[in-house]
Amino acid sequence: MLLRAYACGVFPMAEGREDPELHWIDPKRRGVLPLDRFHLPHRLARTVRSNRYEVRCDSAFTETVMACAEATPGRNETWINQDILRLMRQLFELGYAHSVETWDDGKMVGGLYGVSLGGAFFGESMFSRARDASKVALVHLVLRLRVGGYRLLDTQFVTEHLKQFGAIEISRAEYQRQLAAAIPAPTRFYGVVPDSLVSDFTQSTTQIS
């Protein structure tokens, strides 16, 4: 049922971490991050190329979701409840969900997770415990999606944080059109990408900032 919902453009949220219910969201305006128009700030590009953080995929999926669900300064409540955690773990076990994590000296300091369905990746949430840790994870996610043939990166909503990377808001009708074109696409979610591709990617997508 959850995969069918994503395929129709609907995603689950809870009112809060302790909320026992799920609510199905289908916003009139949808946030997307066009993969062919990704903007990478110059300073962040240097951080990515410096290999300050070790980047891993799917090595700590449950821990990533749990970290995204934690309350943080300025964010006392999150929308990830126990049902969402359980469902995401099931999708991960079936190969439909992935995490990209950043590590520093053996400790996970940032990351993100989402759902993969055909040529669409539905970004769910991210967290950061160190400077730029979640941003580096996002850069690596976008690179993997581009290399893997994905056509749509759904961010659900557009925030100021995502705008710096080129996120835009589109209508529900336009989102449905892009989703319908993306779902049938053959793709591969790459867990490991050569350093040479990372370097080329950061050079080609860098913007002055």
Side-chain angles (χ1 to χ4, degrees):
M1 182 179 70
L2 186 56
L3 290 175
R4 288 199 299 270
Y6 277 107
C8 292
V10 181
F11 58 89
M13 293 184 73
E15 291 290 343
R17 189 174 182 180
E18 303 303 323
D19 183 7
E21 297 183 0
L22 288 181
H23 305 276
W24 298 98
I25 312 299
D26 182 17
K28 292 182 179 179
R29 305 288 296 178
R30 193 67 163 249
V32 297
L33 185 51
L35 293 170
D36 59 347
R37 285 176 277 160
F38 181 72
H39 300 158
L40 179 58
H42 185 71
R43 183 188 61 79
L44 181 58
R46 292 199 307 269
T47 301
V48 175
R49 289 195 296 269
S50 72
N51 293 320
R52 174 181 175 184
Y53 299 119
E54 177 190 359
V55 180
R56 306 178 189 174
C57 285
D58 295 343
S59 69
F61 180 84
T62 298
E63 292 83 354
T64 298
V65 180
M66 292 176 66
C68 289
E70 291 176 355
T72 60
R75 188 187 71 178
N76 296 324
E77 192 60 86
T78 68
W79 54 268
I80 303 171
N81 66 4
Q82 288 300 308
D83 272 350
I84 289 177
L85 174 59
R86 175 180 57 82
L87 290 167
M88 289 299 157
R89 289 178 64 180
Q90 290 179 357
L91 291 185
F92 174 70
E93 291 168 0
L94 293 170
Y96 288 104
H98 298 282
S99 61
V100 179
E101 315 117 22
T102 47
W103 298 73
D104 186 13
D105 195 25
K107 295 181 180 179
M108 187 169 63
V109 294
L112 54 83
Y113 78 94
V115 175
S116 174
L117 189 61
F121 190 90
F122 307 88
E124 290 294 320
S125 188
M126 60 175 61
F127 80 98
S128 185
R129 296 171 180 160
R131 183 176 182 179
D132 292 338
S134 63
K135 295 178 182 178
V136 171
L138 177 61
V139 173
H140 276 261
L141 171 68
V142 171
L143 174 56
R144 282 158 172 76
L145 298 182
R146 285 173 53 145
V147 171
Y150 284 76
R151 298 185 181 182
L152 175 65
L153 173 51
D154 174 10
T155 66
Q156 300 177 349
F157 304 104
V158 174
T159 64
E160 291 301 318
H161 173 73
L162 291 172
K163 281 182 180 179
Q164 66 183 303
F165 300 105
I168 60 174
E169 195 175 66
I170 60 177
S171 68
R172 180 187 289 160
E174 174 60 19
Y175 176 77
Q176 290 287 348
R177 186 191 70 77
Q178 293 189 23
L179 180 62
I183 291 293
T187 59
R188 176 183 173 187
F189 188 88
Y190 281 78
V192 178
V193 174
D195 288 342
S196 59
L197 278 182
V198 175
S199 179
D200 291 345
F201 178 66
T202 56
Q203 294 286 355
S204 65
T205 57
T206 300
Q207 62 176 355
I208 297 175
S209 62

